[in-house]
Amino acid sequence: MAEAEESPGDPGTASPRPLMRDLKAVGKKFMHVLYPRRSNTLLRDWDLWGPLILCVTLALMLQRGSADSEKDGGPQFAEVFVVVWFGAVTITVNSKLLGGNISFFQSLCVLGYCILPLTVAMLICRLVLLAEPGPINFMVRLFVVTVMFAWSVVASTAFLADSQPPNRKALAIYPVFLFYFVISWMILTFTP
Amino acid sequence: MAAADELTFHEFEEATNLLAETPDAATTSRSDQLTPQGHVAVAVGSGGSYGAEDEVEEDSDKAALLQEQQKPQPGFWTFGYYQSFFDVDTSQVMDRIKGSLLPRPGHNFVRHHLRNRPDLYGPFWICATLAFVLAVTGNLTLVLAQRRDPSIHYSPQFHKVAVASITIYCYAWLVPLALWGFLWWRKGVRERMGPYTFLETVSVYGYSLFIFIPMVVLWLIPVPWLQWLFGALALALSAAGLVFTLWPVVREDTRLVAVALLSAVVLLHALLALGCKLYFFQSLPPEHLAPMPQVSPLPPNVPRPSTLPQSMATS
């Protein structure tokens, strides 16, 4: 299978790719993120649909009602987008500068897909926030976000760590940690 | 090839001292693609003194080493050019961070830790961490304040992340640029030591900001005099590191210029710390939100005086 690093599909086919096939590919990658093993599937067949869906979902859920003044509120839709994509690009460029041998889009794909646990955490937090506020409410949310944050970091490390030279692994992993920490913070401080 | 562990930077006392005395000596490192661990060969220029007569010998030493290296400098439009600024290992970064935490007089950060291999990884990610830690702990302070006093209005204040990032990155890049420009302009006055390269200046500033990270975390403790104490300690350490690094370069200059330059460096650093404290850690008065201070890129602003009495009264 001639898989060039940077080409996601078959150029020159007359008919469009069937939607189900794409959805299945995205779904398969979601499963790989939820049960991270050292596998190459995420890296080989990269696509950016999954990250886009996750990012849009996350940004939509982080919207609050516009009762508050805009300046003082939580992140706006565009801010979430900027943080996620700019952060992912920065981490990718950083890992390539450090000498990693992963391609640009592969790395974006992995980082984007590994936001899935945090998106699930956001869903759970939104549900929990429907109950009455209080310290127990906060503790539950804190626990869920922490677990999902750890899951995200472990999942992305499982995919990305092998592509770095051994004496620079920590240098490449730390920005990933920071990236998911910021997203977790945005989720945790969300108040409807 | 000797394992890199045997040649890591923390154990060569003699080489360290020699390098510190002869900063013109060329340290070469050869790294090839297959084994990213480079090893460092130290070549010391003849004699320990500077002077015109040594320059010829040093130049021929350098030429020999360069020929040996046989690596053409990549142009600035290529990716390899920027990759050379990230040519550091985890252990080197940790060593540089430790060096910035413990400044010693005569222990020049550039000579002892950077060793003519400045990197941009440290400054960039230390600034990023500091910006996010500032925003996060400022937010946490508000949460904790609200728990004590439920009338304070809480909001995530996400825009503070943007403000923090812009301020810190501008400080970490524009101030070294100004400093480097000034030193370069004054280099005619100095005979012995040339100015540091721009990257070395940026590296020094970047690593000196590291101590602010634990300082900001410790500012979560809501005891005012303790906060000022931590701030003063961190500022002293950080500014001391900067001063000790800059002293060998400015000491040949006129006394006035040297004192003025070092005072300006320390003052700007203090302004940054003070600005962070006042902007991110003011507890809001219960009736209304404090107006957000304007932020200009350089130098970092202290909030307008109208907000100061409020924050002083409530903090």
Side-chain angles (χ1 to χ4, degrees):
Chain A
M1 188 157 40
E3 296 250 285
E5 270 191 358
E6 314 280 326
S7 68
D10 308 333
T13 25
S15 59
R17 288 162 64 105
L19 185 62
M20 283 314 297
R21 197 171 86 192
D22 276 343
L23 282 179
K24 273 200 198 139
V26 170
K28 203 164 102 170
K29 291 202 191 70
F30 280 163
M31 296 315 291
H32 271 98
V33 171
L34 287 179
Y35 302 107
R37 307 180 290 277
R38 282 178 194 275
S39 82
N40 280 338
T41 312
L42 260 187
L43 292 181
R44 259 196 339 241
D45 311 319
W46 64 267
D47 74 86
L48 291 179
W49 285 114
L52 185 65
I53 296 172
L54 289 172
C55 184
V56 169
T57 314
L58 194 63
L60 281 176
M61 285 200 284
L62 277 171
Q63 286 284 311
R64 7 170 359 167
S66 48
D68 244 313
S69 73
E70 279 195 9
K71 261 187 83 166
D72 226 22
Q76 301 297 312
F77 187 89
E79 281 169 344
V80 176
F81 244 80
V82 163
V83 165
V84 169
W85 288 100
F86 190 64
V89 165
T90 308
I91 295 176
T92 307
V93 168
N94 175 68
S95 99
K96 283 188 81 73
L97 282 172
L98 283 173
N101 59 5
I102 194 172
S103 98
F104 183 76
F105 286 107
Q106 283 173 349
S107 173
L108 279 186
C109 170
V110 168
L111 289 168
Y113 269 103
C114 290
I115 297 182
L116 176 66
L118 286 171
T119 311
V120 171
M122 182 75 227
L123 271 168
I124 298 180
C125 281
R126 269 233 121 141
L127 292 173
V128 168
L129 278 169
L130 290 176
E132 63 170 71
I136 302 183
N137 193 304
F138 178 72
M139 283 300 160
V140 168
R141 282 187 293 139
L142 179 67
F143 176 73
V144 166
V145 170
T146 309
V147 166
M148 293 302 180
F149 162 70
W151 201 336
S152 281
V153 173
V154 166
S156 60
T157 307
F159 292 116
L160 289 177
D162 288 336
S163 67
Q164 289 295 324
N167 51 337
R168 295 181 184 185
K169 274 205 183 33
L171 294 185
I173 296 299
Y174 170 72
V176 175
F177 175 88
L178 191 63
F179 175 63
Y180 289 126
F181 182 81
V182 170
I183 298 181
S184 312
W185 182 255
M186 288 198 294
I187 293 175
L188 194 57
T189 57
F190 172 78
T191 50
Chain B
M1 180 145 68
D5 281 343
E6 294 177 349
L7 294 168
T8 49
F9 292 109
H10 57 262
E11 66 220 335
F12 273 5
E13 283 305 319
E14 293 172 359
T16 309
N17 294 335
L18 279 173
L19 267 180
E21 285 163 25
T22 59
D24 288 335
T27 29
T28 65
S29 73
R30 279 167 292 183
S31 53
D32 42 79
Q33 293 293 7
L34 296 176
T35 49
Q37 301 179 7
H39 62 269
V40 174
V42 173
V44 182
S46 55
S49 62
Y50 316 82
E53 65 271 10
D54 283 342
E55 277 189 24
V56 175
E57 291 165 289
E58 285 175 354
D59 276 345
S60 64
D61 279 338
K62 273 188 202 170
L65 287 162
L66 279 173
Q67 270 177 5
E68 206 181 353
Q69 241 184 338
Q70 275 188 354
K71 212 165 40 172
Q73 185 78 327
F76 71 90
W77 58 89
T78 61
F79 192 68
Y81 178 76
Y82 299 102
Q83 223 167 0
S84 61
F85 304 146
F86 281 75
D87 194 17
V88 280
D89 297 337
T90 311
S91 56
Q92 288 174 6
V93 172
M94 300 309 296
D95 171 68
R96 289 171 188 196
I97 291 178
K98 271 190 288 207
S100 77
L101 287 176
L102 304 165
R104 293 199 301 257
H107 195 82
N108 189 330
F109 184 79
V110 171
R111 295 301 161 214
H112 278 81
H113 291 276
L114 288 185
R115 304 274 178 101
N116 295 337
R117 284 177 68 184
D119 71 296
L120 286 182
Y121 178 90
F124 184 81
W125 288 109
I126 290 175
C127 289
T129 311
L130 184 59
F132 285 122
V133 167
L134 264 177
V136 165
T137 48
N139 207 282
L140 262 180
T141 316
L142 197 55
V143 168
L144 294 175
Q146 193 202 23
R147 289 163 76 78
R148 288 195 309 264
D149 179 5
S151 58
I152 295 179
H153 173 84
Y154 165 76
S155 59
Q157 295 181 315
F158 190 73
H159 66 281
K160 286 199 167 177
V161 173
V163 169
S165 321
I166 293 174
T167 311
I168 294 190
Y169 273 101
C170 283
Y171 179 82
W173 287 84
L174 294 178
V175 172
L177 181 66
L179 181 66
W180 173 77
F182 181 79
L183 287 176
W184 193 79
W185 175 57
R186 297 287 298 176
K187 77 174 175 186
V189 179
R190 286 188 303 273
E191 300 145 6
R192 292 202 277 176
M193 205 159 147
Y196 299 132
T197 66
F198 174 60
L199 278 174
E200 286 172 343
T201 322
V202 169
S203 288
V204 169
Y205 262 86
Y207 281 104
S208 77
L209 285 177
F210 179 80
I211 184 123
F212 287 168
I213 297 176
M215 172 189 79
V216 166
V217 173
L218 284 172
W219 273 350
L220 276 176
I221 305 173
V223 178
W225 63 265
L226 205 58
Q227 289 177 341
W228 289 109
L229 179 68
F230 286 138
L233 271 176
L235 179 66
L237 274 176
S238 190
L242 285 176
V243 166
F244 294 148
T245 304
L246 287 174
W247 178 244
V249 180
V250 300
R251 78 178 153 200
E252 296 127 23
D253 220 330
T254 64
R255 178 136 273 218
L256 175 67
V257 168
V259 168
L261 183 69
L262 291 177
S263 320
V265 162
V266 173
L267 187 66
L268 279 174
H269 225 62
L271 273 179
L272 178 74
L274 190 66
C276 290
K277 169 87 172 58
L278 292 173
Y279 181 61
F280 292 98
F281 291 88
Q282 45 177 294
S283 46
L284 300 175
E287 297 86 16
H288 57 91
L289 301 172
M292 295 301 157
Q294 306 283 340
V295 174
S296 68
L298 173 78
N301 247 354
V302 178
R304 288 186 297 234
S306 60
T307 64
L308 264 171
Q310 285 172 335
S311 59
M312 286 306 176
T314 55
S315 63

